[in-house]
Amino acid sequence: MTDATAVTRQGTLRGRTEDGIAAFLGVPYAAAPFGPRRFAAPKAAEPWTGERDATAYGPTAPKAPYAPPFDALIPETSQDGPDCLNLNIWTPEPGPGARLPVMVWLHGGSFSNGSANSSGYRGDTFARDGVVFVGVNYRLGVDGFLHLPGAPDNRGLLDMIAALEWVRDNIAAFGGDPDRVTVFGESAGAVAIGRLLVDPAARGLFRRAVLQSGACHHFVRPDTARRIGERTAERLGVAHTAEAFAAVPLPELVAAQNALSEEFRRRPDPAVWGDAALNGMVFEPVAEDGTPPGPGAGAGVDPGVDLLVGSNREENRLYMVPTGRFTTISEGRVRRGADAFGADLAGYRASRPGASPGELLDAIVTDWFWRIPAVRLAEAVPGSYLYEFAWRSPQFGGELGACHALELGFVFDRVDDPDYVALAGKDAPEELARAMHGAWVEFAATGDPGWGAYDPAGERATMVFDAGDCRVEADPRAAERGLWEGVR
C-alpha cells in the first residue's frame, strides 16, 4: 500500500493505492451543514493548505438505525461528525489525462438511512474495470428532506447537485472525464435521479443515468410536505420553522425522526400523511407540479441524458417476507390494497391462477411502486434501456425471491461482501454479478449496455438478469403491464 495524491480546486489530497487502485475517502464537496449553515443550501467546501488526509471515511449524515427486522438485513454504517457532505473516490489512474468514464453513486435508504461508506459500496470493482467511481454522502431525513419554512426544500437533492458540480470541476484530477459522467442509484437514490432529470440546476452535470428500483413517480406535493413538517414540529413541541428546528439537540431530532417513521409505518393513513401514505416514505422530495413523465412526452426530462432503468421482479417481498406478512395476509387485505393502488385485482388473479394473497399483493405493489414507473420513464425517453432483475434469493426458504435491494451485490460485483449475505445468501451466482456489473460499466463507457433500446411501439425489449439465463424478453408480463394503462 502506497500513498497517492490528487490536486483539487480546494487543495491537495493524500489517498492510498492498493493493487493498482487509488482510493480517496471522506473528501468534502461542501461545507459542514451545521451551525450557521443548518438547513441551508450547500456551500462550497473551504480550501486548505498542505496535504489533506483522505485515507479514511468521513462522517455520515445523522440518522437512526433501521427498524427491526431490516437492521439485520441491510447493514448500516454511521460515523459522527459535522463534515458529512463528503464523497469517496476510487480510480485506476489518478492524475489528469486519462479521461476515463465516471460513475457517481447515490445510495438508497428511503431518504432516511444509508451512506456511501458501506463496505458493499466500495468502488474498487468499478475502478478495476476502468471507471472512476464516486460515492456521495448527502443529508437525510429532517436535515435533508423535511419541509421547513425559512429553508429551501429538497436540501438532500441540492447536496447531490453540489457533489456533481464538484465532480465536474475536479474529477479530471483523478483520471476522470467530466463529459462522461454517469449518475446511478438505487431506491431513494434512483428516485432522486428521477428528480434531477427534470431539475434545470442539474442540466449538463451528467451524460448518462442508471435508475435501479426508482424513477420519477415518487415525491410529495407541497401541501403534504407542510403537513408532515407540522406533525414533526408537534412531536418536538417547537414551532414549524427552520430556526426552531436548528435549536433542537441533534440526538433529540434524530429520535423524533425515528418515532415519526415508526408512527407512519404503523398507520399510513392518507388523511394524516397525504401523498406519502401510498409512497411508503415520510421523507421524500417535494415537487410543485407533481407530474411524472408520460409516454413520448418526457415531462421535462433532460433529453441529453442516456437512460438505463429497471426494477426487481418481486421487490415488495423485502417488506413482506421478513416481517411474516407474506404468509398471513388475508383476502380482504389484498382487496383493500388493490383498491388503494387502483389495481385491477381480477386481472392479476387471471394472470396468476392459484396465487396466494401474499403473492398477489406483492405483484400489485411491485408493479405500482417500482416496475410501472420504470416502464413509464423508458416510454417517455426514446432510446432508453430497460432491465429486470429476476434471480430469486434462497433466503427465508426461497420466499424472499427477487426482492428490493437484492441486485446491489451484483451491480457492484461484490456478492461475497458481508453487506449482501443476509439477502442473497453465501452462494450467490458470481457469473450473474459479472454480467450485470459488466453491463453497467459498458453503459457508462459507451451509452449501450449490450441489448436493444426499449421501444413502446415495438417489442419493448427488456434485459432479464437471471443466473445462467440472462436474456432479452419482449414485454415481460405484458398483460399485467396493460392493466396499468391510464392508471399509473
Side-chain angles (χ1 to χ4, degrees):
M1 187 178 294
T2 59
D3 287 349
T5 59
V7 180
T8 72
R9 293 191 179 187
Q10 284 76 35
T12 301
L13 292 166
R14 176 172 48 82
R16 292 281 175 81
T17 298
E18 184 175 6
D19 297 329
I21 304 297
F24 298 86
L25 309 178
V27 179
Y29 65 84
F34 295 98
R37 302 295 312 162
R38 191 73 184 279
F39 303 124
K43 179 185 176 184
E46 293 292 329
W48 59 83
T49 57
E51 288 186 352
R52 182 185 179 105
D53 181 26
T55 60
Y57 288 117
T60 57
K63 56 186 180 293
Y66 281 108
F70 305 106
D71 55 344
L73 297 173
I74 307 174
E76 180 70 285
T77 301
S78 297
Q79 290 161 257
D80 294 335
D83 291 308
C84 60
L85 300 186
N86 60 66
L87 43 81
N88 306 313
I89 304 166
W90 281 264
T91 175
E93 295 188 46
R99 307 290 290 185
L100 298 172
V102 180
M103 297 187 73
V104 178
W105 172 247
L106 302 179
H107 68 81
S110 299
F111 297 107
S112 299
N113 288 93
S115 86
N117 298 3
S118 296
S119 68
Y121 298 154
R122 283 177 53 88
D124 54 338
T125 52
F126 286 96
R128 173 199 69 197
D129 294 328
V131 169
V132 178
F133 175 94
V134 181
V136 178
N137 283 311
Y138 56 91
R139 279 176 284 184
L140 303 168
V142 169
D143 277 81
F145 292 95
L146 188 74
H147 170 70
L148 291 170
D153 281 333
N154 300 327
R155 296 174 294 278
L157 295 184
L158 297 178
D159 295 343
M160 297 172 194
I161 292 172
L164 288 165
E165 290 173 338
W166 189 96
V167 167
R168 176 197 62 199
D169 297 339
N170 293 284
I171 205 63
F174 301 85
D177 184 347
D179 295 323
R180 276 202 298 168
V181 173
T182 297
V183 61
F184 73 127
E186 181 264 350
S187 194
V191 171
I193 295 171
R195 301 317 305 170
L196 296 180
L197 285 169
V198 298
D199 191 332
R203 290 287 167 105
L205 293 178
F206 51 96
R207 179 68 184 82
R208 300 184 178 105
V210 184
L211 297 89
Q212 302 168 210
S213 303
C216 299
H217 283 60
H218 301 295
F219 48 81
V220 292
R221 293 173 176 81
D223 180 64
T224 290
R226 176 188 55 77
R227 228 189 292 185
I228 293 173
E230 290 174 348
R231 195 166 187 86
T232 311
E234 290 172 9
R235 178 173 286 279
L236 287 166
V238 301
H240 182 213
T241 66
E243 183 180 21
F245 270 68
V248 177
L250 192 56
E252 186 177 335
L253 194 65
V254 171
Q257 175 179 306
N258 195 40
L260 193 76
S261 296
E262 182 59 30
E263 178 187 354
F264 176 84
R265 279 191 291 269
R266 288 197 310 268
R267 189 168 178 265
D269 185 353
V272 176
W273 304 102
D275 304 331
L278 286 180
N279 285 345
M281 295 179 284
V282 173
F283 301 102
E284 298 179 72
V286 181
E288 286 286 350
D289 57 13
T291 305
V301 172
D302 187 345
V305 175
D306 302 326
L307 295 181
L308 169 58
V309 59
S311 59
N312 298 352
R313 183 163 289 180
E314 296 159 315
E315 298 259 13
N316 202 53
R317 291 197 183 202
L318 175 64
Y319 305 101
M320 300 170 69
V321 172
T323 60
R325 293 172 54 233
F326 184 69
T327 55
T328 60
I329 287 172
S330 66
E331 290 286 349
R333 174 68 183 88
V334 174
R335 287 193 297 273
R336 291 192 298 273
D339 288 345
F341 291 110
D344 182 344
L345 180 56
Y348 274 89
R349 288 192 191 280
S351 66
R352 297 171 183 258
S356 70
E359 289 169 334
L360 288 170
L361 189 61
D362 165 61
I364 288 169
V365 179
T366 291
D367 279 358
W368 184 90
F369 200 104
W370 290 282
R371 183 169 79 115
I372 298 304
V375 168
R376 294 290 177 256
L377 183 56
E379 289 174 339
V381 181
S384 297
Y385 296 91
L386 191 72
Y387 78 89
E388 183 175 69
F389 182 79
W391 181 74
R392 306 189 76 247
S393 168
Q395 301 295 83
F396 292 87
E399 288 184 340
L400 199 56
C403 71
H404 189 62
L406 183 62
E407 89 287 1
L408 286 169
F410 297 86
V411 167
F412 276 79
D413 195 9
R414 307 189 69 88
V415 291
D416 58 347
D417 190 283
D419 274 13
Y420 301 126
V421 171
L423 286 184
K426 295 181 179 179
D427 299 308
E430 294 182 359
E431 72 279 5
L432 178 56
R434 287 192 293 270
M436 199 168 190
H437 173 82
W440 265 232
V441 169
E442 189 65 20
F443 179 74
T446 69
D448 183 347
W451 64 91
Y454 189 84
D455 181 3
E459 291 188 348
R460 295 180 178 263
T462 304
M463 171 58 79
V464 177
F465 287 102
D466 205 348
D469 187 25
C470 293
R471 61 198 181 275
V472 177
E473 291 188 8
D475 201 6
R477 300 185 306 291
E480 292 180 357
R481 178 190 56 76
L483 298 175
W484 296 97
E485 293 294 337
V487 179
R488 180 67 164 158

